[in-house]
Amino acid sequence: MFAYDFMQNAFAAAGIVAVLAGVVGYFMVLRGQTFAGHALSHVGFTGATGAVLVGLSPLAGMMGMTVAAGVAMGMLGERLAHRDVAIGIVLSLSLGFGLLFLHFYTAFATQATALLFGNVLAVDAATVWTLLAVGILCLGALGVIMRPLLFASLQPELAEARGVPVRGFGMIFLAVVALATAACAQIVGVLLVFTLMVGPAAAALRVTGSVGRGLLLAAALALAEAWVGIAVAYVTDWPSSFWITALSGAAYLLAVAAVRG
Amino acid sequence: MMDAPGTPAVALRDVTLRLGGRPVLDAVTLAIGACEFVGVLGPNGAGKTTLMRTILGLVQPERGTVQVLGRAAARGNPAVGYMPQSRVALPTTRLTGQQMVAATVRGERLGLPSAGHATRAEVDRVLGLVDARALARRPMAEMSGGERQRVLLAQALVGRPRLLLLDEPLISLDPHHQHDVIALVRHVQLSLGITVLFSAHELNPLLGVLDRVLYLGGGRAALGTVDEVITGPVLSRLYGAEIDVVRLHGRIFVMAGRQEVAHCSHHAGASDDVRV
Ligand SMILES: Nc1ncnc2c1ncn2[C@@H]1O[C@H](COP(=O)(O)OP(=O)(O)O)[C@@H](O)[C@H]1O
Ligand SMILES: [Mg+2]
């Protein structure tokens, strides 16, 4: 199956995104911010459809929109934390606007499914390079702030007292989450980013008590789920996003069962 | 490094501090000496947490000066250890006591989390100080309240602080575990020769270990021995209401009218003032 260009692109893109999603997701779960990824992906849908409407690339539109929303979330910070209703309304509005933009751009109908549920087999070489650049940028930024971010995630008030700019790093992290979400949506779609960002990380956090091993396990799990998912999709001709969600769900359940049993 | 003899651990001069328009501290002047164990008491909202955050340099007073170990209070002072009131709400993770403390060791530095020898040695040292080496490999989420408190205390001791601010470490612990935590803090304080500010709702569990009490209320503060501070006239001034102090079988009850005060709601019920 590696004889085809589109399969090579699919494996490369999924590999880059999975490692990124696993590492970023680990901190999202640790910080209790999994919902942020979910929310950002919805907003990204509006960005992607809006961009297409004005003749820009959907990936660029999605990333612009998610990063703007991520930074806004970081600035609102605490005040946003318990506003379930407000967040829910913004999410619905985002999808609603996305739908409206699609309506104006009628030829775009098949693209809608790809945006919502992903179409990794349609990823071209240029997108792979973009994803690689985004992946390096995000992991690089995370590498620089990881130590104080971990401190601030586990003990925010103590970290603040020790001089960690807790809010500033929180904002940088949300910008990273935003880019990772947009990258992830290229593989599994806007509606399923949870499956690569949260599933493997949550499983890893349940299995190992060490941060280092947890990060490696989250990235490895995400990578295995993405690659195996695409391979099985190639054989069965069922959608790859389905197989990735199935594997992610199974891995999480296994992690829960393994720790209980 | 030793402090010059007589340098107070904490010195507030004429400090006025407002939060949300209300004065939490109103022209307060006080000095806490080196190696003192001071209980910080007062009703909910009296300003115990705010006082600690001021000493940490996280809250700026509107007026007056705050000196900590001879220098102006400033964020990031490694000589001040802190155990915040709000406890870590660990999600469903298996992070161990070791990892929890390790994240604190020079956690403000940029770069990747450290798993190096120096970090492990420091974690081992502080866990040893609180007799919690056995908790190093246990997941935080599976520890009892008292065990978790030990790990958090170890975290506060990272970096060899000379002043330790413990914000309500007894909250949600049963009396037995409360006693353990108090004895442990006293032991650590005496063996390291450091100053401890220990805030609490209730005075009685602390009576055996306190050097002095700092009682906060109504924007004012009273600092002195238990016998000097826990009296009807002093507390009446802090509460702005008639307060009686009843001593019974070595315990002290602070009463407003027929009701005992300075208790949090988990002690609600008339049985409070008949306990022996
Ligand atoms: N961030 C804040 N903004 C406005 N008011 C605050 C803030 N934090 C605390 N307060 C108020 O300051 C007073 C002191 O609070 P606090 O220091 O938490 O008291 P304690 O720790 O003794 O219960 C309370 O009246 C509280 O409502
Ligand atoms: Mg408090």
Side-chain angles (χ1 to χ4, degrees), chain B residues 146-169:
Chain B
E147 290 170 335
R148 212 170 296 171
Q149 221 68 326
R150 263 170 208 267
V151 174
L152 297 180
L153 183 59
Q155 230 176 14
L157 289 167
V158 163
R160 301 178 188 265
R162 283 173 293 144
L163 168 63
L164 201 53
L165 308 176
L166 307 178
D167 202 356
E168 310 241 12

Side-chain angles (χ1 to χ4, degrees), chain A residues 85-181:
Chain A
V85 174
I87 294 173
I89 288 173
V90 170
L91 293 197
S92 313
L93 257 180
S94 304
L95 281 183
F97 270 106
L99 179 70
L100 179 70
F101 295 157
L102 281 179
H103 172 77
F104 288 138
Y105 191 83
T106 41
F108 197 47
T110 51
Q111 277 277 2
T113 326
L115 272 174
L116 290 173
F117 296 104
N119 185 5
V120 70
L121 299 183
V123 170
D124 58 21
T127 306
V128 172
W129 286 112
T130 309
L131 291 176
L132 183 63
V134 168
I136 290 171
L137 176 72
C138 287
L139 288 178
L142 209 50
V144 171
I145 67 165
M146 193 177 282
R147 189 167 174 165
L149 185 73
L150 178 68
F151 189 9
S153 305
L154 294 177
Q155 273 285 30
E157 284 165 303
L158 182 55
E160 193 190 9
R162 287 276 169 80
V164 174
V166 173
R167 278 184 59 123
F169 285 153
M171 244 148 81
I172 295 176
F173 177 66
L174 275 174
V176 168
V177 169
L179 284 173
T181 304

Side-chain angles (χ1 to χ4, degrees), chain B residues 24-108:
Chain B
V24 180
L25 299 176
D26 192 359
V28 167
T29 296
L30 57 87
I32 291 167
C35 308
E36 270 198 281
F37 190 122
V38 175
V40 181
L41 288 141
N44 252 329
K48 302 180 291 292
T49 299
T50 306
L51 174 70
M52 291 189 178
R53 290 175 60 82
T54 308
I55 294 169
L56 288 163
L58 295 173
V59 179
Q60 299 303 321
E62 188 176 285
R63 209 157 48 83
T65 57
V66 181
Q67 295 264 314
V68 177
L69 300 160
R71 289 202 216 140
R75 260 181 85 181
N77 184 347
V80 186
Y82 179 40
M83 180 165 154
Q85 177 175 356
S86 47
R87 300 291 174 249
V88 202
L90 277 176
T92 49
T93 75
R94 287 185 65 79
L95 282 193
T96 59
Q98 203 276 343
Q99 294 282 306
M100 201 59 196
V101 178
T104 321
V105 179
R106 284 178 292 278
E108 64 280 358

